[in-house]
Amino acid sequence: MGDASTPRPSCVPLTCHGHSRPVPHISFSPLENQDIYYMISACKDGNPMLRDGQTGDWIGTFLGHKGAVWQGRLSPDATTAATASADFTAKVWDTHTGELLYVLQHDHIVRAVAYPFDQSRMLATGGFEKKLRIFDLQEQPPTSEGAASPVTIPTSQAFEIGEGVHTQPIKFIVWAKDPSVLITASGDTLRWFDLPTRQCTRAIKLEAEIKSCELVSLAPSHSSPTDIGVGQPVLAVAAGKTACFWGGLKAQDELKQFKLPHGIASVGLDLKGRKFVVGEEPGTWAHVYSWEDGKELDVHKGHHGPIWSIAFSPDGNLYATGSEDGTIKMWKNCEGFYGLWRGGAPGSSAD
């Protein structure tokens, strides 16, 4: 390696193929035993995929949606996956067998799903109905027949939160670490909701439509008080040319805002490495910026379409980008051997 003033070369990424249409969303599971974790990718081809989080190796495809899948998330215990689709349903799947467990019926396109931080039997949904709903899956145990007879839950059995509040489609839902707090991104507005009262307690209008809104966290074994957010999850939001960040148990304490020289379609946050990554819009590059002063540290080239989603692994050792070009790229974010990378600093080849 050169001296400290020598810029590091851009990381050589692993590329995950398999999807035939754009990838609007990717997310990781929490860390499991032996530091295992998983990644789920939503795709407009209607076939969300489960992968090994460290290597990107394909594990399986959840088959059953009849329209584009806009979002996918893994439960806190990684035993189920939830997907939001243009076919007017959200679906819940068994991650070990691939079986469809639940069909959550809606009256319009579903764009967002979210599990609580540490509860795998509840699910929040939102979309073009402009309604935030909570489905309690504990009340409807799956049938022993599994995929042969998934449980169908109508919207009438869900709880609506903040009735009449949203005036535009709900694109993202985040469940704060405080389980009584839910956050939605709808149009250019972030809203915080109190679950016990079902009321909206706060709304912040941003400079433009919110393109990305995610709660970023590290596994407890990898987090520390010196991290961004002092060991707590951080809400990362992209809107217009601004990346915004909130911390605390309710994810409502403003930490920083960065006004960038270009539009951004997505944002990811490296809590331990104290930097953030954005997908430029318009464009196909990922830009890495310093949390301390906002200076550009690196540019990642390789995608052939906009980057709609950026997610850091639960150990912080890599991050993944999902793109309009139908691929997912995984970028090393640590020193030494990791996953399929042989060793060296971030920027070492995966061959």
Side-chain angles (χ1 to χ4, degrees), residues 78-91:
T79 62
T80 63
T83 50
S85 176
D87 65 9
F88 291 21
T89 71
K91 288 181 163 64

Side-chain angles (χ1 to χ4, degrees), residues 16 34 44 67 72 100 111 116 134 153 156 165 167 232 237 239 283 312:
C16 306
Q34 287 86 47
K44 291 186 181 179
L100 177 60
R111 285 292 299 262
I134 309 292
I153 306 179
S156 60
V165 168
T167 58
Q232 298 292 345
V237 179
F312 275 80

Side-chain angles (χ1 to χ4, degrees), residues 180-204:
S180 68
V181 177
L182 274 166
I183 302 139
T184 62
S186 173
D188 61 4
T189 304
L190 279 177
R191 293 180 177 90
W192 282 256
F193 292 88
D194 176 63
L195 234 62
T197 62
R198 303 193 191 185
Q199 300 299 308
C200 179
T201 58
R202 186 184 188 194
I204 296 178

Side-chain angles (χ1 to χ4, degrees), residues 114-159:
Y115 287 96
F117 202 78
D118 56 5
Q119 222 282 43
S120 296
R121 307 292 291 161
M122 301 277 284
L123 194 70
T125 68
F128 276 67
E129 286 182 81
K130 307 168 191 171
K131 294 180 179 180
L132 173 61
R133 293 187 176 99
I134 309 292
F135 289 85
D136 186 352
L137 305 181
Q138 294 177 108
E139 295 184 351
Q140 305 267 355
T143 63
S144 57
E145 289 86 8
S149 181
V151 175
T152 298
I153 306 179
T155 53
S156 60
Q157 292 184 23
F159 304 95

